Every structure is written in C-alpha cells, then in structure tokens.
Amino acid sequence: MALGHGDYGDVLALQRTLHAKRCAGELGDLLLSVEHNPVFTLGRSGMHDHILVAEDTLKQQGIQIHEIERGGDITYHGPGQLVVYPIFDLRGFGKDIHRFIWSLEEAIIQTLSELGIGSARNDGFPGVWVGARKIASIGVYVKNWVTYHGLALNVDVNQAHFRMIRPCGLSIETVSLNDIRDLHMSVAEVGAIVVRQLGALLEKDIVTMDRKEVI
Amino acid sequence: MNADTIHIRMPDLGDVSKAVVVQWLHPIDAHLTEGDDLLEVETEKTTFVIPAPASGRLAAIHMPETTAVTTGQVLGEIEPQ
C-alpha cells in the first residue's frame, strides 16, 4: 500500500490500527510505503541529548519529534527517504526474527545492486552501509508475532537534517542513493524495487492496494 | 523459585545471537491477565513483546532491565490466582 507523503503521527496510528487487524486475522500481511514529513523518532533507548540543535531550530524547520516503541536510538525521517513498514505475521515465517531482519536488509542490498551500487551489512552496526556511510536503517517492533515499524532507505535526503542528530546515538555519516550515483530516482521508483525484492524474500505475491481498499 | 508459580520464559526467536531485557511493563505484585503485554526484549534491531503466560500476580522478576537473556531462560514468575 503506497501512501505517498504522510505525517509521521498519522501513519503511526494507521500502523497500530492495521497491526491490531492483522493480529485479529482481519487482514493479510501488508507492506506500507511512505515518504514522511521531517521528523526525529526516538526508540526505547533514544536520548534527547542526541538531538544536537535547539528545539526552536526544529520548530522553525518544521521538524517534529516522536517517542516511539521500536528498538534503537534516534533516527530521522523526511522527504527523499523511502520508508517501508511491514505489518507481517512471523508465524507464517517460522517465527524467525533473525531471518526477517536479514530479509529487510537483503531487500535493500539487492535494490541497490540493481541500481549499480554495492552495499553491505556491518557487524555490530545495524542498517545497510555503502563503505563507511550508512544508507538505510532498520527498527522493528513485534507484538503477538506481528511486526510493525520497518526500514528507511535514503534516496535523496536533506543531509543537513541528519547532521542535527547523532543517528542511532553514533557519530556516523549518512548518505543518499542519489549522492552516490546521480540516477535522479524518485522515492516511488525506488520503493517499487524494494517492495518487489521484499515480496520475493518474504515469499509473498505482491498486490498493490490503496488505503480505502484496506480499511 | 517457587514450585507453585508459572515461569515466564524467554521464547525462541529464531537464530538470534543475543537479547536484552528492555522494560518490564508491569511492577512486581501487579495482577496480570493471560496475554497481557508483560515485558519487552530487544534483539537485532527488533523489540519483541512477551505476553503474560497466565493470569495471576507477578511474583518475581529474575531478569531486570538491561540483563542479557537466552532462549528458554526463566525471566520471572507468575503466581496463578
């Protein structure tokens, strides 16, 4: 389900609704793809002092802050970044969280490979990396064996926003796909490839739906 | 551990390397209903919610927050009521 541009709070509420419906067996597995308005999200171990600028500056730039239930520290979502949220019942996937996370990473690595960009996992440092620079983040919440939250892949992100935080609590450099190869790809175009790759890795046929068809 | 209590065990999450208790969502002595969200553990970029395995009183927490845990380990105990 491609949501286009979406406010973080609205999409989080939608995820929680869909998660409850998936747990109740009212829906099948879903992938939501979205491009958020600028927002910093703090996971369970997130620390406000990993935001490096004053709150007034964030307000002026229209950047929201949300504290959420997923694992991990702080991350940024915003225009030019593909976000994919799988609402996925792991009971149909061997209850194997390791394989599920591996599949999310692999979908990103395979997508970048299709676009001529080499990327890899980095032991001890979550996400997907191009050399020493981080291009994608992963953070998942699992309740009743059904997932929500998911992955974020930088397609053409305002790097100045990333420099306002210590992403994941680390002093790391982030990078966007279009910085590495000037492919002028839109978030929607990259999203179509990631969703196709995820369908294959999660062993699902992908059917495209809009929001009204789902709820 | 009390023989009359029900053990809250770390479930098998697949081939994960390590997990850490992030947060107990209820205090000791809380009255739980089977299936209530009881605690969160974090592994491999994932936060996993462990439900209460039975109704009753949360009688013991053996693995407090920030403790590393392994599959099958007893995390706490519920006294059935």
Side-chain angles (χ1 to χ4, degrees), chain A residues 44-45 69-72 95-98 101 105 125-127 138-145, chain B residues 11-17 22-23 25 35 37 40 42-51:
Chain A
R44 284 282 192 235
S45 51
E69 59 276 74
R70 66 152 171 76
K95 291 185 174 179
D96 192 336
I97 286 176
H98 175 78
I101 296 294
E105 292 167 338
F125 297 93
I138 287 174
V140 170
Y141 196 76
V142 183
K143 185 171 157 177
N144 299 328
W145 288 108
Chain B
D12 183 354
L13 303 181
D15 187 21
V16 297
S17 50
V22 179
Q23 188 175 14
L25 302 170
D37 296 345
E40 294 174 341
E42 196 168 299
T43 179
E44 302 208 11
K45 307 151 216 177
T46 303
T47 304
F48 184 89
V49 182
I50 298 176

Side-chain angles (χ1 to χ4, degrees), chain A residues 105-164:
Chain A
E105 292 167 338
E106 191 65 16
I108 296 164
I109 291 167
Q110 293 297 332
T111 296
L112 293 173
S113 176
E114 267 191 42
L115 300 174
I117 297 171
S119 64
R121 297 171 185 84
N122 191 349
D123 272 354
F125 297 93
V128 176
W129 300 71
V130 176
R133 297 183 293 177
K134 189 174 188 179
I135 196 164
S137 301
I138 287 174
V140 170
Y141 196 76
V142 183
K143 185 171 157 177
N144 299 328
W145 288 108
V146 176
T147 69
Y148 64 109
H149 295 293
L151 66 86
L153 171 61
N154 302 330
V155 177
D156 196 359
V157 173
N158 182 347
Q159 296 294 331
H161 286 174
F162 265 116
R163 285 193 287 272
M164 293 179 181

Side-chain angles (χ1 to χ4, degrees), chain A:
Chain A
M1 179 164 60
L3 299 172
H5 286 265
D7 176 77
Y8 189 83
D10 289 346
V11 176
L12 182 58
L14 176 64
Q15 283 191 79
R16 288 173 176 155
T17 300
L18 295 173
H19 179 271
K21 286 179 177 288
R22 183 70 192 93
C23 290
E26 295 170 20
L27 290 171
D29 292 320
L30 288 167
L31 293 172
L32 311 183
S33 64
V34 63
E35 190 175 353
H36 284 303
N37 302 325
V39 61
F40 293 136
T41 63
L42 285 146
R44 284 282 192 235
S45 51
M47 293 169 62
H48 277 270
D49 58 6
H50 289 159
I51 300 172
L52 307 175
V53 295
E55 230 169 86
D56 284 352
T57 308
L58 299 182
K59 275 185 191 156
Q60 282 164 13
Q61 304 232 3
I63 302 175
Q64 300 177 345
I65 301 175
H66 279 270
E67 291 183 22
I68 54 170
E69 59 276 74
R70 66 152 171 76
D73 199 287
I74 188 167
T75 195
Y76 168 76
H77 300 303
Q81 185 188 61
L82 170 71
V83 175
V84 179
Y85 296 127
I87 314 290
F88 191 84
D89 191 339
L90 291 168
R91 283 170 295 195
F93 203 62
K95 291 185 174 179
D96 192 336
I97 286 176
H98 175 78
R99 186 173 156 222
F100 179 73
I101 296 294
W102 184 92
S103 300
L104 299 189
E105 292 167 338
E106 191 65 16
I108 296 164
I109 291 167
Q110 293 297 332
T111 296
L112 293 173
S113 176
E114 267 191 42
L115 300 174
I117 297 171
S119 64
R121 297 171 185 84
N122 191 349
D123 272 354
F125 297 93
V128 176
W129 300 71
V130 176
R133 297 183 293 177
K134 189 174 188 179
I135 196 164
S137 301
I138 287 174
V140 170
Y141 196 76
V142 183
K143 185 171 157 177
N144 299 328
W145 288 108
V146 176
T147 69
Y148 64 109
H149 295 293
L151 66 86
L153 171 61
N154 302 330
V155 177
D156 196 359
V157 173
N158 182 347
Q159 296 294 331
H161 286 174
F162 265 116
R163 285 193 287 272
M164 293 179 181
I165 58 169
R166 283 163 55 86
C168 305
L170 303 168
S171 295
I172 56 171
E173 194 181 341
T174 56
V175 69
S176 288
L177 190 157
N178 283 349
D179 296 335
I180 301 166
R181 288 198 68 193
D182 203 2
L183 298 168
H184 300 290
M185 290 194 74
S186 69
V187 167
E189 288 168 328
V190 177
I193 303 174
V194 170
V195 166
R196 169 165 52 77
Q197 292 285 356
L198 271 176
L201 289 157
L202 299 177
E203 299 167 359
K204 296 285 176 184
D205 295 325
I206 300 292
V207 180
T208 305
M209 303 173 87
D210 67 29
R211 192 167 176 159
K212 284 182 193 151
E213 290 176 279
V214 177
I215 52 172

Side-chain angles (χ1 to χ4, degrees), chain B residues 5-79:
Chain B
T5 59
I6 290 168
H7 292 167
I8 303 153
R9 287 186 185 276
M10 179 65 194
D12 183 354
L13 303 181
D15 187 21
V16 297
S17 50
K18 60 175 182 179
V20 173
V21 175
V22 179
Q23 188 175 14
W24 284 86
L25 302 170
H26 297 273
I28 203 86
D29 287 334
H31 286 272
L32 305 167
T33 300
E34 183 177 347
D36 280 352
D37 296 345
L38 181 52
L39 75 153
E40 294 174 341
V41 293
E42 196 168 299
T43 179
E44 302 208 11
K45 307 151 216 177
T46 303
T47 304
F48 184 89
V49 182
I50 298 176
S55 298
R57 181 179 71 89
L58 181 56
I61 290 175
H62 297 302
M63 294 293 156
E65 289 160 15
T66 73
T67 311
V69 292
T70 54
T71 301
Q73 199 165 4
V74 178
L75 309 176
E77 294 176 55
I78 294 174
E79 186 180 84

